[in-house]
Amino acid sequence: MTDAQALPAPPVAAKRPLSRTHHGDTFDDPYEWLRAKDEAEVIGHLEAENAYTDERTAHLAALREQIFQEIKGRTLETDLSVPSRRGSWWYYGRTVEGSQYGIQCRAPLASPDDWTPPELAPGEPVPGEQVLLDGNIEAEGLDFFSLGSFEISNDGDRMLYGVDLAGDERYTVRVRDLTTGENLADEIPGTFAGASFSPDGRFIVYTTVDDAWRPDTVWLHEIGTPVEDDVKLFTEPDERFWVGADFTRSDRYLIIDVGSSVTSEEWIVDAADLRSEPRVVWPRSEGVEYSASDAVVDGEDVLYILHNDGALDFELVRVAASAPQGERSVVIPHRPGQRLLGVDTFRDWGIVGYRRGGLPRLGMLDYADGAVREIEFDEPLYSVGAGGNPEWAPPLLRVGFGSFVTPGTVFDYEVATGELLLRKRQPVLGGYDADDYAQARVWATAQDGTEVPISLVWKRSFGDAGATPRALHLYGYGSYEHSIEPGFSVARLSALDRGVIFAVAHVRGGGEMGRQWYEDGKTLAKRNTFTDFVDCAQHLIDAGYTTADRMVAEGGSAGGLLMGAVANLAPELFAGILADVPFVDALTSILDPSLPLTVIEWDEWGDPLHDPEVYAYMKTYSPYENVRADVQYPRILAVTSLNDTRVLYVEPAKWVARLREVGADALLKCEMVAGHGGVTGRYNSWRERAFELAWLLDVLGVADAA
């Protein structure tokens, strides 16, 4: 619809007088009443917003269905993951055509010396297969189903699983006897994700949250005893810190992690005596982050500790496990610009993850001399990581690899020879050929002279990117030192095949270029994140990749804050903005310590409640407060979920109401049974993404292209 007179009237949220005053500044907030989630009027307004969005996008129904069918048609619906060995079994997941959820399975090893995963054919019977958990059965009759914990005991006889049925990320843990298939009487409600068995299988270690949804307490549950008798192993009173717990791969220790955005502390408990007093590895020191992993080197129990104490991009040291605060032996020294990300220890060697040149890297760590042997890949842009390695002493390392053009690939790295053994590449049906697509990295110059990387992918048949201006989809995030890696997406092909260039602006606040990149995009430097994105968009226009009327920006969560900020800063650069679960009422949320996660977030954004400088600074960029009446906004689609505990639905609801006041064409889509990650079930998720892509393609003017 291009005729404004033909558009239906949008919902109009009532304006109710309410103001807040901090540090001598008063802000009028007439839409704050929308926070009352349980009020019928609020639900009615959200339902009216959904109805309006449905009406405004009704003309895209055929395109949505086409994109959904494209995603579905490119996906091998009946498929299996590459099995991972643990104990006497190969563990894997499989999917079945027509089923929403995955099925967790296992099959017995052929022999104790078998380290080559079986080549299982999708849809064919697997010899000795045992179905452990069928998500489709568990989710039958439910609108929402999310698995937050899943683990098998070391002896293979029991399974624990934690389920969220609302989207609020509070899980009920249950235990199943795998010899009988029956659930035990044990049932632990209200847990956080990530419960685990003790090595002997007698206990479950789990975490609970406080009223602000902060994981704050670690508990020990003895299987077969009442939950009321569970033992509190550790609790953290400081509201800035999260708590988690897991056993080391060696099964010798339980490590309790305590961390904020800038400070961490770890406590060790002997796995053979879980009721013993935890002992601290290093006492917390403001601004110092570290993580420990155990090994045995030359007969000595040691901890490898990755830390940033005087080392901005981190260094790796080794200490005695019996005296971790004693002498440190430097294994990998601090190298500015090479950000050490993590170390994972096995019996005979370790694996180190790090970033260099804007890309993730993996290296094998030799315990004897501390040498790191990098695992090399031959693509200019890629993502890589180690995963699916539960065994303590394997001869192989499981590695996941992918890029914008290479579908997700699983290798086993043979440690003795350095050979990468291809186990599986994600099938992409319909004749996909990676050579039909190209990827590249270009650089934009920010206002302060900083060079900001931009990753690009496009289909070659439409010509080289930059040869002529084309429709372009620009994605950004830029918070929490989180890096947006060059990864493959089946859904993205629906845009690329219509001539759209996909780009990622790796703005400051993320972690792509090292720790300083993050520091330069947080707290009182946060505006760099937004201006970097604007500068990247301007560069893509100036360099001939696109034009302002053919570019759509997208970001989610903290990236949704980015979207709201750039909409206010440079609305003229974009035809549309897609904001997923957007953090657009940031100042209101960060001022209220009673809201989920607020106090924890002060390390990322600053504390506007107690610091007038932070308050004034955040008020300059928080999207809701800075909606402008003197500009024409691009088309905006905000997507949220009623039960989201991380970014509350009220933020985009208020933002859209305010945007409408100034004449913006803004739509709100609120999933009424979902959480921060949106809907569950793969077909539901595909339809959700098809909805967003159809809107995006319509804004870009390529909805009819094929």
Side-chain angles (χ1 to χ4, degrees):
M1 295 183 183
T2 57
D3 183 359
Q5 300 302 315
L7 296 178
V12 177
K15 298 180 71 173
R16 297 178 180 168
L18 181 74
S19 63
R20 65 164 191 252
T21 300
H22 292 87
H23 310 296
D25 176 73
T26 297
F27 175 72
D28 294 324
D29 192 357
Y31 300 117
E32 177 62 13
W33 65 272
L34 288 168
R35 190 175 299 276
K37 176 181 175 181
D38 296 329
E39 293 291 332
E41 187 178 3
V42 172
I43 297 300
H45 176 76
L46 296 175
E47 290 173 340
E49 289 281 12
N50 283 341
Y52 175 67
T53 297
D54 288 344
E55 189 174 3
R56 285 290 309 280
T57 60
H59 66 293
L60 299 175
L63 179 59
R64 289 199 295 267
E65 182 62 26
Q66 182 180 353
I67 294 172
F68 171 77
Q69 292 298 336
E70 289 170 2
I71 298 171
K72 187 171 179 287
R74 293 187 182 107
T75 304
L76 185 61
E77 295 179 69
T78 299
D79 201 5
L80 303 96
S81 65
V82 179
S84 293
R85 174 176 159 153
R86 183 165 180 251
S88 301
W89 300 85
W90 290 106
Y91 289 89
Y92 55 95
R94 58 182 175 89
T95 56
V96 176
E97 183 175 356
S99 297
Q100 289 272 21
Y101 298 96
I103 304 169
Q104 304 301 319
C105 307
R106 68 180 180 183
L109 298 180
S111 73
D113 298 324
D114 183 14
W115 288 96
T116 302
E119 295 184 9
L120 306 178
E124 294 185 6
V126 177
E129 178 180 272
Q130 181 181 10
V131 173
L132 303 173
L133 188 76
D134 186 334
N136 303 287
I137 294 174
E138 302 293 333
E140 189 172 355
L142 302 173
D143 293 324
F144 187 92
F145 173 82
S146 177
L147 199 62
S149 299
F150 180 80
E151 189 169 273
I152 310 300
S153 60
N154 279 350
D155 61 11
D157 291 342
R158 288 173 173 169
M159 172 185 75
L160 69 77
Y161 63 105
V163 174
D164 168 19
L165 304 181
D168 59 3
E169 298 184 58
R170 287 170 170 81
Y171 302 88
T172 297
V173 171
R174 297 180 175 87
V175 181
R176 183 166 297 172
D177 186 326
L178 295 179
T179 61
T180 66
E182 300 295 325
N183 279 1
L184 304 183
D186 303 76
E187 186 172 299
I188 312 172
T191 74
F192 195 63
S196 57
F197 280 114
S198 62
D200 60 10
R202 288 182 54 205
F203 301 95
I204 294 173
V205 174
Y206 65 94
T207 308
T208 56
V209 300
D210 64 11
D211 291 340
W213 194 78
R214 175 182 66 99
D216 70 330
T217 303
V218 179
W219 298 85
L220 184 68
H221 171 75
E222 185 171 3
I223 295 173
T225 66
V227 173
E228 298 77 37
D229 295 341
D230 289 356
V231 175
K232 184 185 296 185
L233 293 181
F234 186 92
T235 192
E236 173 55 52
D238 191 327
E239 294 178 335
R240 297 178 303 151
F241 288 82
W242 284 42
V243 174
D246 202 2
F247 291 92
T248 61
R249 181 178 283 104
S250 69
D251 282 337
R252 295 187 303 159
Y253 301 111
L254 174 71
I255 293 188
I256 298 172
D257 300 294
V258 185
S260 71
S261 295
V262 299
T263 305
S264 61
E265 183 178 62
E266 293 192 339
W267 297 73
I268 288 182
V269 182
D270 190 330
D273 185 9
L274 290 172
R275 291 190 175 93
S276 62
E277 192 73 20
R279 56 190 179 93
V280 69
V281 177
W282 290 352
R284 74 185 66 173
S285 177
E286 187 69 20
V288 174
E289 301 168 63
Y290 71 89
S291 60
S293 189
D294 72 310
V296 178
V297 178
D298 296 330
E300 181 187 12
D301 289 347
V302 300
L303 297 176
Y304 282 90
I305 301 179
L306 197 71
H307 74 92
N308 69 340
D309 187 6
L312 181 66
D313 281 315
F314 289 70
E315 75 173 0
L316 181 66
V317 300
R318 193 172 74 196
V319 299
S322 59
Q325 297 167 44
E327 183 179 357
R328 305 179 186 181
S329 173
V330 176
V331 179
I332 303 177
H334 175 244
R335 298 186 179 99
Q338 177 172 286
R339 169 68 162 95
L340 297 180
L341 300 173
V343 61
D344 209 358
T345 51
F346 296 80
R347 188 189 65 185
D348 302 316
W349 37 265
I351 181 78
V352 180
Y354 48 101
R355 298 191 68 85
R356 188 182 67 246
L359 290 176
R361 318 275 178 165
L362 280 180
M364 302 301 303
L365 173 65
D366 188 320
Y367 290 156
D369 59 11
V372 176
R373 181 178 68 199
E374 186 169 308
I375 304 174
E376 297 183 350
F377 301 92
D378 59 4
E379 293 195 39
L381 299 176
Y382 61 83
S383 57
V384 67
N389 295 287
E391 293 280 18
W392 175 231
L396 306 167
L397 177 76
R398 180 65 51 82
V399 174
F401 174 86
S403 74
F404 282 135
V405 300
T406 301
T409 303
V410 176
F411 292 105
D412 276 342
Y413 178 79
E414 196 169 63
V415 178
T417 65
E419 183 180 2
L420 280 169
L421 306 173
L422 176 63
R423 297 307 190 195
K424 183 172 184 174
R425 180 157 286 147
Q426 174 190 353
V428 182
L429 307 182
Y432 175 79
D433 186 344
D435 291 337
D436 291 341
Y437 302 83
Q439 59 179 347
R441 178 161 285 175
V442 298
W443 299 79
T445 303
Q447 297 173 11
D448 62 0
T450 300
E451 294 295 304
V452 182
I454 307 172
S455 297
L456 303 166
V457 59
W458 67 94
K459 192 170 186 179
R460 295 180 188 273
S461 61
F462 292 91
D464 288 339
T468 57
R470 301 231 302 267
L472 189 142
H473 176 191
L474 181 61
Y475 187 87
Y477 187 75
S479 292
Y480 304 107
E481 203 180 0
H482 176 68
S483 300
I484 304 299
E485 308 292 10
F488 188 80
S489 167
V490 166
R492 188 186 300 137
L493 295 176
S494 291
L496 299 181
D497 288 355
R498 289 171 169 82
V500 177
I501 299 170
F502 179 75
V504 177
H506 301 286
V507 295
R508 281 175 284 185
E512 286 88 345
M513 302 297 292
R515 173 49 70 92
Q516 192 62 52
W517 199 252
Y518 169 51
E519 296 291 341
D520 289 343
K522 62 182 291 194
T523 56
L524 295 178
K526 188 62 199 172
R527 288 181 65 89
N528 285 335
T529 302
F530 316 135
T531 56
D532 280 359
F533 192 87
V534 170
D535 292 335
C536 287
Q538 189 65 61
H539 173 81
L540 293 168
I541 294 170
D542 294 343
Y545 291 94
T546 190
T547 55
D549 61 346
R550 304 192 70 189
M551 179 160 49
V552 168
E554 180 184 7
S557 195
L561 167 63
L562 171 61
M563 294 300 100
V566 301
N568 293 329
L569 284 173
E572 71 281 357
L573 293 184
F574 307 97
I577 289 180
L578 173 56
D580 287 304
V581 291
F583 185 42
V584 284
D585 192 16
L587 186 53
T588 302
S589 294
I590 299 301
L591 279 167
D592 188 349
S594 71
L595 291 178
L597 306 182
T598 286
V599 175
I600 291 172
E601 294 289 310
W602 285 346
D603 284 332
E604 179 74 18
W605 312 100
D607 175 6
L609 182 61
H610 302 101
D611 189 330
E613 183 182 12
V614 172
Y615 176 88
Y617 186 78
M618 287 193 71
K619 195 176 179 185
T620 67
Y621 69 72
S622 186
Y624 178 61
E625 285 86 346
N626 288 282
V627 170
R628 297 165 60 185
D630 61 336
V631 300
Q632 181 175 344
Y633 279 92
R635 291 166 62 182
I636 291 174
L637 172 62
V639 179
T640 188
S641 298
L642 183 64
N643 295 328
D644 191 343
T645 53
R646 295 174 184 260
V647 179
L648 303 185
Y649 73 91
V650 67
E651 299 204 21
K654 290 170 60 177
W655 181 52
V656 166
R658 178 71 183 110
L659 285 166
R660 295 240 182 86
E661 276 193 69
V662 299
D665 183 2
L667 301 179
L668 176 67
K669 185 175 189 292
C670 181
E671 294 294 340
M672 304 305 284
V673 184
H676 194 62
V679 297
T680 58
R682 57 177 178 162
Y683 296 104
N684 293 337
S685 297
W686 297 347
R687 288 199 180 277
E688 182 72 12
R689 190 55 179 163
F691 179 93
E692 296 176 349
L693 286 174
W695 179 88
L696 185 149
L697 295 174
D698 184 48
V699 174
L700 289 173
V702 295
D704 297 327

